[in-house]
Amino acid sequence: DICEKYGCSFANLMQAWILKQYDLISLLTGFRRRETIEDTCRVFDIALSDEDAEYMERLAQKVRNAEQQKV
């Protein structure tokens, strides 16, 4: 499990993956509680490997393909 490997939440993992894909991007998230801010900031401590990012892209592509077949 990739979340276990990086010691992060699923949301953090998705944010780290998005940040890895783009040079210039901002993460816009809601901050209603202090815990939310702290959790979101953890994403900057995740050094997602190229191999894990590519694996996540393959999984995302499978989901996109399945969604396209439904239409």
Side-chain angles (χ1 to χ4, degrees):
D1 185 41
I2 298 178
C3 290
E4 285 182 25
K5 177 179 179 179
Y6 291 99
C8 66
S9 68
F10 183 74
N12 287 148
L13 184 63
M14 292 299 101
Q15 292 167 338
W17 179 52
I18 291 167
L19 287 173
K20 186 159 181 77
Q21 293 179 60
Y22 303 99
D23 291 331
L24 298 173
I25 193 165
S26 296
L27 294 177
L28 300 177
T29 58
F31 297 122
R32 293 187 181 160
R33 297 182 322 220
R34 178 182 176 165
E35 297 84 24
T36 305
I37 296 169
E38 292 170 351
D39 184 59
T40 299
C41 289
R42 286 189 190 113
V43 72
F44 299 110
D45 294 329
I46 300 171
L48 192 62
S49 72
D50 292 340
E51 294 80 16
D52 287 336
E54 290 168 8
Y55 173 70
M56 293 171 69
E57 177 58 35
R58 287 192 303 273
L59 292 177
Q61 187 60 46
K62 287 181 182 182
V63 171
R64 287 190 290 267
N65 290 344
E67 288 297 318
Q68 288 175 353
Q69 291 178 1
K70 288 182 183 179
V71 176

